[in-house]
Amino acid sequence: MNLSEKQKEIVNAPIGEAMQVLASAGSGKTRVLTERIKYILNNSRDGVIGITFTNKAAEEMQNRLIDCENINERAWIATIHSVAQHILERYEHTIGLDLHLYEREEDRIEIYLQFAKENGFDIEKENIKKYIEKFSWIKRELILEKEDFFNKYPNEMDIWEYYQNYQNALLNSAGMDYDDMLLYAYKLLRDNESICKIYRAKYKHICVDEAQDLNKAQYELIKILCGDAIKSILMVGDKNQMIYGFNGSSSDYLCKFFVEDFKPKKYELIENFRSTKEVIRVSNILKPNSQKEMEYAYTGLVEFNICETEDSEANWIIEKINSFLNLKEDKEIEGEISLDKMVVIARNRFALCKLKEKLKENNILYFFKKGERDYLLESQFGQILDYSIRCKLNSKNWIDKNKLDVLLKTEGKFNSIYNQLLNFIDDLDIEEPNIPKFIKSMDDIFSNIGKNLENDKEIEELNHSKSDLDMFNSYWTKFKRLGLGNSLNSFYNALALGKLTSNSNNGGLTLSTVHTMKGLEKDIVFLIGMCEGIFPDYRATSNKEIEEERNNAFVAVTRAKRWLFVSYPQQRMTQWGGSRFQTASRFFMEMKAV
C-alpha cells in the first residue's frame, strides 16, 4: 500500500524533532512508525530505539526493516520490558544486584508467605493477591519513598510496611517481578549517568508505538533514556484505544505529559484503510468523528442479533460460520473464506464458555488466543526440565527446588530418564549451554525406551515428554535465530517476557478477549456477550472506567476489516449454575439504534 500524503508528511519530517502522532484504528500507524525508522536509518548514521507494545509487533517491525544497512547494530526494536531487561542484564552488577524474574504470581505469593512465617508477622493468604496488586501500583507510579506514599495514600499506612516486606522477601530469594524490571532499570539509569550516556551515544532517536498505553514507570524510563540530550522522540497512539488502565496506563502520557516535556510537533491520522464503510460507521457511533472512511473502501456488513440464550447465540454464530465456509468466496474478502479469517471476541473468557462447547459438538477447530507470556511445559519430564534449570540459574530459588523434590519422589517407569535429565542439566554451561547436544541426547534416550514400551499410559506419558522436549527445543532455536543472547539466563528471561511464544492458530477459528486481540485484525469479527454488566464490565462504575470500557468496545469493533456481527443473549448462566435475565449493553443499543 502506498503512503498517503499525511503519512508521507510524518515519515519524511525533518530528523531530530519531537513528534506526536495521534492515529486512529486502521490508519496505518505502525506502518508509519516503521517507515519513519527506516527513513532515519537511511538518512543518518544514528541508531534508533523502537518501542512496541508486543513482542509480535517488534518481530514484525524488525522484519520490515531487514533491508536497512547494519540493521541489527543500528535499530533496537523491543517492548519496554525487554529494554529494561537488557539494561539489567548488562549493568545490574553496578548496583550490587543479581536478580531472577519470578513471573508466576503463585510463586511470589508463596515467597511472601514464607517470609512472613520466618519473620513472625501475620498475613492471610487470601489477602496477599489484593496486596500484590497494590504493590504493583506503587511500582508503576514510581513511588520510591515512604513519605511520598503517605502523602498520596494517608489512610493506607500499613500497605507500605507490607510492600517493604514483599520486596525483602523477593530479594532474599534473589528475585524480582515484572514491575521490578522497570523500577530497577529506572533507578539504575537515574543513579548512573555514565550508563545513560552509553545508550544516548548509540541511539539518538526513540520511536514509541501504542503510546496511549504507557504508565508512569514506562514513560519515565523512556524519558530518562532521553535525558537532555535526545530530542528526537516520536510517540504514536490513539487515546480512544487506551484499554490498560488497570495496569496504571493513561493516555495523559501521550496527550499531556509528552507535550509538556518535549514540545512535539503534532500530526493526526484518522483515515481508516483497514475497515469497510459499515464498520467505520459503527465505530464512529462509539467514538464520534474518530474515523474517516476511504472512497474506495468496500461497503461491508454489520449485523446485530438479540438471542434468547447463550445456546442460541452460539448456534447462530456456528450457522454463520458454516454459511461463510460454504460460500467460499466473496468480492469483499481476499482469497477463500476460511476459519483463520474469523475471530470471536468477548469481554472476558467466561463469555466464551458456551460457544466453546458448541464448537466442539460441531467439530469446528478453534484456537484460544493466549497472552504472549503464557509458557507452560505440562508433562512431568517438562516440569522437571523447567524447575531444574531455574534452580541452576538461581541457587536461592527454594520455590522451584521444592517443586522439583516433590516430582522426583514420585516412583515410576521414567525415573531413570529424570535422573539422566538432571545430570545433563547439571553439566550445562550457564553462559554457553550446548542445547542441541542436550536435545540429541534426550531424543536418543526416548527412542531407546520407547521401543520397549507396551503400556498405553506409559506410551502417552513418553509422547507428552517428547512433545515438551520439542517445544523447549523450538524455543531455544527461536532464541538463537532472533539473536537474543547465548546464556541460559538470557534464554529464560526471553521466555518469561514472551519473546519466544507463538500464537499460530493452525487454521482454526480464533477465540479472543478484547485485550489479547489488541493490535490485530480479521476479515470477519463476531462480538458476543454484549450484555450490560459484561460489556461494560460490572466493576466499571466511574466515568473514567466507563470511558475505558467504551474504548474496549471501540477496539473490538475496529478489529473487523470487512464484516462485523454483534450479539447478546437475553439469558445467561452464572458460574454457579443459575440462569439470569440480561439487558443489552449500552454500547450494543447505541450501535444498533443508528
Side-chain angles (χ1 to χ4, degrees):
M1 183 181 70
N2 294 326
L3 295 173
S4 70
E5 290 304 312
K6 289 187 177 181
Q7 289 174 332
K8 287 180 183 177
E9 182 184 1
I10 297 166
V11 169
N12 300 325
I15 295 175
E17 63 183 21
M19 302 168 64
Q20 178 203 55
V21 179
L22 302 179
S24 190
S27 62
K29 59 186 175 61
T30 303
R31 169 109 190 278
V32 167
L33 186 75
T34 306
E35 293 299 321
R36 176 61 178 173
I37 292 174
K38 186 180 293 185
Y39 181 82
I40 293 172
L41 294 173
N42 289 338
N43 292 275
S44 76
R45 301 178 67 180
D46 303 332
V48 182
I49 299 177
I51 296 177
T52 63
F53 192 73
T54 65
N55 294 297
K56 183 176 183 292
E59 191 173 348
E60 288 178 355
M61 190 179 295
Q62 191 82 32
N63 290 336
R64 292 179 186 178
L65 296 169
I66 199 69
D67 293 334
C68 294
E69 185 177 356
N70 297 324
I71 180 63
N72 292 329
E73 289 296 317
R74 298 178 61 209
W76 180 15
I77 313 297
T79 66
I80 189 67
H81 279 88
S82 296
V83 170
Q85 173 216 340
H86 178 281
I87 294 168
L88 292 176
E89 279 188 5
R90 281 155 180 75
Y91 299 108
E92 65 181 352
H93 64 277
T94 63
I95 54 175
L97 294 176
D98 181 17
L99 301 180
H100 302 266
L101 182 64
Y102 285 101
E103 71 268 31
R104 295 183 290 243
E105 185 179 75
E106 61 268 24
D107 291 348
R108 300 195 294 269
I109 290 174
E110 193 63 33
I111 287 171
Y112 195 16
L113 281 172
Q114 184 64 26
F115 182 84
K117 182 179 178 181
E118 292 174 353
N119 289 273
F121 62 88
D122 294 326
I123 186 166
E124 296 180 1
K125 185 172 183 177
E126 54 267 27
N127 290 331
I128 291 182
K129 187 172 183 179
K130 176 182 68 175
Y131 286 135
I132 286 179
E133 289 174 357
K134 292 188 176 182
F135 302 159
S136 289
W137 194 265
I138 291 172
K139 297 174 189 180
R140 291 165 186 162
E141 288 293 300
L142 281 184
I143 300 174
L144 304 177
E145 303 296 337
K146 180 178 181 179
E147 291 73 17
D148 294 334
F149 178 82
F150 288 164
N151 289 336
K152 199 161 188 177
Y153 305 104
N155 298 322
E156 298 190 81
M157 297 177 66
D158 57 329
I159 297 297
W160 185 260
E161 182 180 352
Y162 292 143
Y163 171 63
Q164 292 300 315
N165 288 333
Y166 173 70
Q167 291 300 92
N168 289 332
L170 285 176
L171 289 172
N172 283 354
S173 298
M176 61 180 172
D177 59 25
Y178 284 113
D179 296 305
D180 281 325
M181 296 185 83
L182 298 175
L183 179 67
Y184 287 132
Y186 168 80
K187 291 169 72 173
L188 189 153
L189 293 179
R190 183 197 63 182
D191 299 336
N192 294 271
E193 180 66 17
S194 60
I195 296 175
C196 292
K197 288 180 178 178
I198 293 172
Y199 286 103
R200 292 172 194 155
K202 185 172 183 179
Y203 303 105
K204 299 187 181 301
H205 312 271
I206 297 179
C207 299
V208 184
D209 198 9
E210 304 286 2
Q212 77 280 346
D213 286 317
L214 292 172
N215 61 34
K216 184 172 183 178
Q218 294 167 344
Y219 178 75
E220 292 296 335
L221 180 59
I222 293 169
K223 188 177 170 183
I224 208 167
L225 273 170
C226 293
D228 295 328
I230 305 301
K231 305 296 184 184
S232 178
I233 178 167
L234 164 64
M235 287 201 178
V236 181
D238 177 13
K239 66 178 181 178
N240 292 329
Q241 295 186 70
M242 199 291 291
I243 62 173
Y244 288 90
F246 59 87
N247 280 338
S249 301
S250 171
S251 57
D252 283 347
Y253 295 104
L254 167 66
C255 299
K256 179 182 177 183
F257 300 118
F258 176 52
V259 173
E260 294 173 356
D261 294 333
F262 290 89
K263 309 296 188 295
K265 186 172 181 180
K266 300 179 183 180
Y267 300 85
E268 191 173 27
L269 296 173
I270 63 171
E271 296 168 310
N272 187 325
F273 298 97
R274 173 198 300 158
S275 303
T276 53
K277 293 178 181 179
E278 281 298 294
V279 172
I280 293 171
R281 179 185 64 81
V282 169
S283 66
N284 275 329
I285 295 170
L286 292 171
K287 293 287 181 176
N289 303 315
S290 64
Q291 304 258 286
K292 181 180 177 181
E293 67 182 46
M294 305 304 296
E295 290 183 10
Y296 57 79
Y298 289 120
T299 301
L301 173 66
V302 176
E303 187 175 316
F304 297 89
N305 191 27
I306 301 173
C307 306
E308 186 177 342
T309 64
E310 288 177 286
D311 274 89
S312 57
E313 183 181 38
N315 289 332
W316 176 70
I317 291 169
I318 288 170
E319 287 173 9
K320 287 288 184 185
I321 290 171
N322 286 329
S323 69
F324 297 149
L325 294 176
N326 291 331
L327 181 63
K328 292 187 177 180
E329 60 181 33
D330 186 274
K331 66 178 183 180
E332 292 195 336
I333 294 179
E334 184 178 350
E336 184 175 345
I337 299 175
S338 56
L339 287 174
D340 60 359
K341 292 185 177 179
M342 309 179 201
V343 63
V344 182
I345 301 176
R347 179 63 182 83
N348 57 50
R349 289 194 177 203
F350 183 63
L352 291 162
C353 290
K354 180 57 66 175
L355 177 62
K356 287 194 290 186
E357 291 178 17
K358 293 293 183 180
L359 290 171
K360 288 179 182 177
E361 290 176 11
N362 287 270
N363 296 314
I364 295 177
L365 179 66
Y366 70 88
F367 157 82
F368 198 96
K369 190 179 183 309
K370 301 180 293 184
E372 288 192 318
R373 293 173 179 171
D374 292 339
Y375 157 67
L376 184 65
L377 298 178
E378 297 180 335
S379 68
Q380 184 166 335
F381 169 87
Q383 291 176 50
I384 292 173
L385 168 62
D386 185 35
Y387 298 152
S388 59
I389 292 180
R390 290 175 185 271
C391 292
K392 183 180 181 70
L393 292 174
N394 179 8
S395 60
K396 295 182 179 181
N397 183 354
W398 56 269
I399 285 283
D400 289 313
K401 177 65 168 61
N402 289 349
K403 295 176 184 176
L404 187 59
D405 289 344
V406 170
L407 288 174
L408 293 175
K409 287 177 182 177
T410 306
E411 293 294 330
K413 179 80 173 181
F414 300 122
N415 281 27
S416 63
I417 295 180
Y418 303 150
N419 289 331
Q420 292 178 82
L421 168 62
L422 293 175
N423 289 333
F424 285 138
I425 298 301
D426 191 51
D427 289 340
L428 284 177
D429 184 332
I430 289 178
E431 296 305 319
E432 295 283 347
N434 191 338
I435 298 299
K437 180 182 177 182
F438 160 66
I439 298 295
K440 175 66 167 58
S441 299
M442 289 308 311
D443 269 334
D444 290 343
I445 292 170
F446 285 156
S447 295
N448 290 333
I449 289 184
K451 294 174 184 176
N452 301 313
L453 289 181
E454 296 181 357
N455 182 287
D456 288 345
K457 185 176 180 181
E458 291 173 350
I459 292 173
E460 190 64 23
E461 177 63 24
L462 190 67
N463 287 338
H464 285 165
S465 299
K466 179 63 169 65
S467 177
D468 275 354
L469 181 68
D470 290 343
M471 182 182 295
F472 182 86
N473 187 36
S474 71
Y475 288 142
W476 177 263
T477 301
K478 185 172 183 180
F479 170 73
K480 295 298 289 182
R481 176 173 60 80
L482 294 176
L484 299 176
N486 297 306
S487 70
L488 275 178
N489 192 53
S490 295
F491 174 53
Y492 259 67
N493 281 337
L495 273 174
L497 291 175
K499 297 180 185 179
L500 310 179
T501 53
S502 172
N503 255 311
S504 173
N505 67 1
N506 299 317
L509 173 72
T510 301
L511 307 184
S512 178
T513 64
V514 179
H515 289 90
T516 54
M517 197 62 192
K518 179 73 179 296
L520 303 175
E521 59 195 45
K522 291 286 185 180
D523 288 291
I524 303 170
V525 170
F526 295 91
L527 179 52
I528 73 169
M530 289 292 286
C531 312
E532 193 72 11
I534 300 298
F535 207 155
D537 187 276
Y538 69 95
R539 291 165 293 189
T541 54
S542 68
N543 290 337
K544 182 179 179 181
E545 290 167 335
I546 290 296
E547 189 59 26
E548 186 168 334
E549 288 296 296
R550 182 176 293 277
N551 289 353
N552 272 299
F554 178 77
V555 167
V557 165
T558 54
R559 298 314 92 196
K561 294 169 64 177
R562 300 293 181 259
W563 303 338
L564 172 67
F565 301 89
V566 189
S567 61
Y568 88 95
Q570 292 178 309
Q571 293 184 61
R572 292 184 73 248
M573 296 295 293
T574 69
Q575 296 186 51
W576 303 275
S579 178
R580 293 179 64 87
F581 180 76
Q582 305 292 310
T583 58
S585 161
R586 66 191 73 183
F587 306 139
F588 181 96
M589 296 307 295
E590 288 174 18
M591 291 186 289
K592 187 175 183 297
V594 179

